[in-house]
Amino acid sequence: MRCIAESVPAPYLLRAGSEPPPPGGSLRPFVPSDLPRVMEIVAEALREHYEPALYLSLSRQWPEGFLVAVDPDGAVVGFLLGVTQVEREGRILMFAVDRGHRTRGIGARLMTAFLDRCRERGLARTTLEVRVSNATALRFYTRFRYSVVDLLRGYYSDGENGYQMARDLP
Ligand SMILES: CC(C)(COP(=O)(O)OP(=O)(O)OC[C@H]1O[C@@H](n2cnc3c(N)ncnc32)[C@H](O)[C@@H]1OP(=O)(O)O)[C@@H](O)C(=O)NCCC(=O)NCCS
């Protein structure tokens, strides 16, 4: 992992880590040292485990699309990992806020910043997948003007159906 982390371009690491977070917490791009905490949040909130190499590879593909929220002490309390696999489209691959930090607007800040990054990149649309049972996330995404565009039968590893949601970017 050390070798992979060191291959991240130096300007990116400097920009992401050079300033202390302002009071109240802040958002910044992911850096490899965030990985243990991000994986902890994924395990708790999304009940998934992915190899570290996956996160590192995705973060190199679109560094601005992988955002973390940090508390005033600099601890990671949430993240949003976006990718661009389809032309002019951004896809949210993972998105979660630490349980003890939810309903304080952190998710909204992450989503707002992600939509800004998509616009800056000239993307026309963003998509995501969500469990049909995840009422909290469905409400959250609807508030951000995402609409259900497809039912994905048996999409999740435990057999649960998913919704694909999308929103156009003005
Ligand atoms: C979905 C998720 C990321 C939202 O993160 P969050 O930080 O709680 O999001 P916010 O605080 O911005 O918004 C959540 C709710 O709290 C409310 N809220 C935000 N700040 C608030 C405040 N200061 N006081 C009271 N309520 C507040 C919002 O209005 C929102 O309510 P609504 O969605 O019913 O409109 C989070 O619930 C989560 O991590 N869930 C588990 C993982 C998950 O399901 N991820 C999505 C998979 S597709």
Side-chain angles (χ1 to χ4, degrees), residues 77-158:
V77 294
F79 77 100
L80 188 158
L81 170 49
V83 295
T84 51
Q85 295 164 327
V86 174
E87 203 185 342
R88 300 208 65 207
E89 198 167 287
R91 177 179 167 210
I92 297 176
L93 215 53
M94 288 180 238
F95 175 37
V97 171
D98 172 67
R99 187 178 291 280
H101 290 81
R102 289 181 198 157
T103 66
R104 299 184 195 175
I106 294 171
R109 289 173 68 191
L110 281 164
M111 178 61 78
T112 302
F114 175 71
L115 295 172
D116 286 345
R117 297 297 93 77
C118 289
R119 288 188 194 95
E120 285 161 17
R121 202 182 159 113
L123 304 180
R125 186 171 185 259
T126 71
T127 64
L128 58 89
E129 292 80 28
V130 58
R131 287 178 182 268
V132 295
S133 65
N134 193 344
T136 302
L138 280 163
R139 200 173 53 240
F140 179 94
Y141 293 138
T142 303
R143 188 156 58 88
F144 274 89
R145 308 211 324 264
Y146 283 86
S147 315
V148 172
V149 291
D150 204 0
L151 173 65
L152 309 169
R153 292 189 191 280
Y155 182 76
Y156 291 94
S157 48
D158 59 5

Side-chain angles (χ1 to χ4, degrees), residues 17-111:
S18 56
E19 289 177 24
S26 60
L27 305 187
R28 60 166 171 74
F30 166 89
V31 291
S33 56
D34 296 328
L35 200 46
R37 186 63 191 124
V38 166
M39 289 177 71
E40 228 171 66
I41 294 173
V42 170
E44 185 275 317
L46 303 174
R47 300 190 303 280
E48 299 284 0
H49 174 84
Y50 302 104
E51 290 304 316
L54 174 75
Y55 296 93
L56 296 172
S57 153
L58 293 172
S59 76
R60 282 195 300 270
Q61 284 171 31
W62 185 21
E64 296 79 11
F66 193 169
L67 297 162
V68 299
V70 294
D71 74 8
D73 298 323
V76 174
V77 294
F79 77 100
L80 188 158
L81 170 49
V83 295
T84 51
Q85 295 164 327
V86 174
E87 203 185 342
R88 300 208 65 207
E89 198 167 287
R91 177 179 167 210
I92 297 176
L93 215 53
M94 288 180 238
F95 175 37
V97 171
D98 172 67
R99 187 178 291 280
H101 290 81
R102 289 181 198 157
T103 66
R104 299 184 195 175
I106 294 171
R109 289 173 68 191
L110 281 164
M111 178 61 78

